[in-house]
């Protein structure tokens, strides 16, 4: 079996799907590894390190597509690359099948097998393959570091001969994986942290990190949806959160917002009035920007300065910490590969709920039912 590691081609992408240290267990199974020259450079992995780990290096990208049996990737290859895939090959990565299913049709028709890391079921057995959580962890950390860098103040309280500097105040909206990491990072830097989430269960986790949890009476409805995620709220319940957010943002130096509801656009929680109420020099980081953003002023991917407030809306924060983001992702990928590469041979058993859940298409046909439905509408003649 030949496994290929590519240099990611998406603009701004710095991560790599497998690092040199990931190759040992693959080579031990007799899997051959070919790496595109420069694949890991931006993530701190040199060609020499891949070669020393036992990979073959090539500058011929096309030959990797046409020969590899397995291609772990960060982002989906473009249509030109997909057209060169070896029929029967397996591609695994953040393929965005729910956002851009049409962009995968060339690969599906080769046909190749596509597994999407976004679709890996969030069950205990698959926790070690949960790349969404890995990337949310990195994003939560980096959001705080980016805000601390821009803030005209320091995070920790400082008692000096020239007087006392009070700690920065950080407000985190949405205490899921990214939010909890943002809270932990801001606390380590010495900030005072408050957090809000519609899921009451998040309260205990927030408090265990030394932050204050802000409770909102949602008018008797539950913020908990299916599978431990948030429910989509009514406008009235959302408004109660928006009021709290406006009040809290006014005394916060940094607001980090991460609220999402699976399969829905990000809830609009931060009104223009909340941004106007923030002090000049404050920083708002909208981590929900890829899903449209939590702030009504957010322009995904654009940094804005609004009345002295800096509003960041990053689309790919993990790519700003490519070494560790790649290290975590590579481990998720290796664990996933363990389900389909047994003793160096490919075995795809779609009776396995993790594989079936993550499978976009196999042998030319869509597998995951949500993706299948979306693909039907993409393929349907106008
Ligand atoms: P997410 O990215 O979907 O959402 C981020 C947070 O936003 C969530 O905590 C959500 O409750 C919150 N939110 C949504 N609407 C909101 C609103 N209107 N106001 C305020 N907050 C709002 O969530 P996530 O980070 O992927 O994880 C959410 C939950 O799933 C957590 O309980 C997490 O521990 C759990 N989880 C389980 C597994 C697993 O079992 N393998 C893996 C990852 C996460």
């Amino acid at each position: 079996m030949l496994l290929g590691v590519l240099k990611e081609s998406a603009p701004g992408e710095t991560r790599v799907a497998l690092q040199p240290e990931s190759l040992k267990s693959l080579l031990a199974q007799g899997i051959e590894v070919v790496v595109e020259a420069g694949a890991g450079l931006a993530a701190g992995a040199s060609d020499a390190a891949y070669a020393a780990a036992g990979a073959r290096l090539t500058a011929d990208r096309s030959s990797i597509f046409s020969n590899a049996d397995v291609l772990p990737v960060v982002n989906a290859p473009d249509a030109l690359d997909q057209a060169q895939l070896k029929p029967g090959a397996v591609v695994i990565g953040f393929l965005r099948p729910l956002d851009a299913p049409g962009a995968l049709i060339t690969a599906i028709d080769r046909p190749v097998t596509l597994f999407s890391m976004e679709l890996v079921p969030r069950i205990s057995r698959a926790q070690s393959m949960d790349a969404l959580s890995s990337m949310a962890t990195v994003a939560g950390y980096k959001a705080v570091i980016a805000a601390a860098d821009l803030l005209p103040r320091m995070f920790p309280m400082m008692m000096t001969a020239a007087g006392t500097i009070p700690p920065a105040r950080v407000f985190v909206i949405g205490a899921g994986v990214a939010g909890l990491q943002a809270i932990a990072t801001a606390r380590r830097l010495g900030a005072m942290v408050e957090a809000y989430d519609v899921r009451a269960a998040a309260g205990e986790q927030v408090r265990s990190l030394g932050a204050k949890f802000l409770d909102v009476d949602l008018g008797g409805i539950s913020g908990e949806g299916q599978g431990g995620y948030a429910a989509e709220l009514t406008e009235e319940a959302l408004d109660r959160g928006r009021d709290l957010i406006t009040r809290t943002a006014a005394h916060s130096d940094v607001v980090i917002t991460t609220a999402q509801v699976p399969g829905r656009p990000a809830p609009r929680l931060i009104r223009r009035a909340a941004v106007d109420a923030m002090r000049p020099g404050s920083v708002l980081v909208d981590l929900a920007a890829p899903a449209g953003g939590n702030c009504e002023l957010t322009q995904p991917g654009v940094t804005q300065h609004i009345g002295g407030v800096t509003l960041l809306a990053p689309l790919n924060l993990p790519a700003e910490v490519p070494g560790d983001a790649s290290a975590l992702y590579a481990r998720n990928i290796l664990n996933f590969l363990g389900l389909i590469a047994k003793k160096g041979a490919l075995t795809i058993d779609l009776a396995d709920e993790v594989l079936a859940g993550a499978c976009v298409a196999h042998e030319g046909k869509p597998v995951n039912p949500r993706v299948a439905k979306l693909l039907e509408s993409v393929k349907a003649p106008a």
Side-chain angles (χ1 to χ4, degrees):
M1 187 200 310
L2 180 68
L3 180 146
V5 179
L6 295 160
K7 184 170 163 53
E8 293 292 318
S9 59
E13 188 54 80
T14 53
R15 292 167 293 175
V16 63
L18 288 179
Q19 294 182 312
E21 43 276 40
S22 328
L23 307 187
K24 203 172 161 190
S25 61
L26 300 172
L27 296 163
Q29 290 183 59
I31 297 173
E32 274 181 78
V33 180
V34 59
V35 176
E36 184 177 355
L41 269 186
S46 66
D47 290 351
Y50 281 106
R56 180 164 60 78
L57 272 290
T58 177
D60 183 357
R61 183 177 172 86
S62 303
S63 75
I64 301 183
F65 276 101
S66 48
N67 290 308
D69 301 295
V70 180
L71 281 161
V73 293
V74 179
N75 305 295
D78 64 23
L80 287 176
D81 283 338
Q82 288 178 29
Q84 303 190 60
L85 281 163
K86 176 172 160 180
V90 176
V91 181
I92 309 162
F94 285 126
L95 305 182
R96 305 184 61 225
L98 301 178
D99 308 313
L104 300 173
I105 288 174
T106 307
I108 295 171
D109 289 345
R110 287 296 288 159
V112 299
T113 301
L114 300 177
F115 288 110
S116 157
M117 293 305 276
E118 296 97 322
L119 297 177
V120 169
R122 284 176 131 180
I123 56 173
S124 312
R125 184 165 72 87
Q127 257 179 2
S128 64
M129 305 160 205
D130 184 354
L132 283 181
S133 285
S134 296
M135 296 306 111
T137 300
V138 177
Y141 160 84
K142 187 64 180 179
V144 173
I145 301 301
D149 191 30
L150 289 169
L151 195 70
R153 309 194 41 217
M154 296 186 279
F155 265 41
M157 181 172 89
M158 295 218 186
M159 293 164 92
T160 79
T164 299
I165 300 273
R169 299 190 68 151
V170 174
F171 178 30
V172 175
I173 303 165
V177 181
L180 289 173
Q181 189 54 238
I183 295 169
T185 305
R187 289 286 302 138
R188 281 185 206 122
L189 287 175
M192 277 175 65
V193 183
E194 295 175 296
Y196 165 59
D197 198 296
V198 280
R199 291 180 301 112
E204 200 180 311
Q205 290 168 307
V206 166
R207 283 187 286 271
S208 74
L209 292 170
K212 182 175 173 194
F213 186 66
L214 305 175
D215 244 330
V216 173
D217 172 8
L218 296 174
I221 67 162
S222 167
E224 308 261 352
Q226 282 183 337
Y229 288 103
E232 194 172 19
L233 299 185
T234 60
E235 270 306 301
E236 193 203 327
L238 281 173
D239 262 341
R240 293 180 183 221
R242 290 178 182 126
D243 292 342
L244 168 101
I245 288 166
T246 304
R247 286 196 302 276
T248 311
H251 64 239
S252 302
D253 298 296
V254 169
V255 177
I256 302 211
T257 182
T258 74
Q260 304 230 29
V261 178
R264 307 290 309 148
R268 285 288 156 100
L269 298 172
I270 306 178
R271 303 179 181 120
R272 175 166 201 124
V275 179
D276 290 343
M278 290 175 74
R279 289 188 293 248
S282 312
V283 182
L284 196 167
V285 186
D286 193 341
L287 282 188
N294 289 144
C295 177
E296 63 184 32
L297 301 180
T298 290
Q299 292 176 27
V302 178
T303 296
Q304 301 178 74
H305 300 281
I306 302 162
V309 175
T310 304
L311 167 51
L312 302 178
L315 291 174
N316 189 2
L317 263 192
E320 294 182 29
V321 197
D324 282 335
S326 301
L328 293 173
Y329 186 64
R331 280 177 221 152
N332 297 139
I333 287 278
L334 276 186
N335 290 325
F336 189 90
L337 277 173
L339 299 181
I340 59 166
K342 307 253 163 77
K343 293 185 183 148
L346 265 182
T347 46
I348 297 174
D349 174 10
L350 290 179
D352 179 327
E353 66 173 316
V354 175
L355 292 182
C359 191
V360 172
H362 181 56
E363 295 175 346
K365 293 190 190 64
V367 175
N368 180 296
R370 278 170 78 197
V371 181
K373 209 165 164 204
L374 286 171
L375 278 168
E376 258 171 44
S377 51
V378 172
K379 282 187 153 180

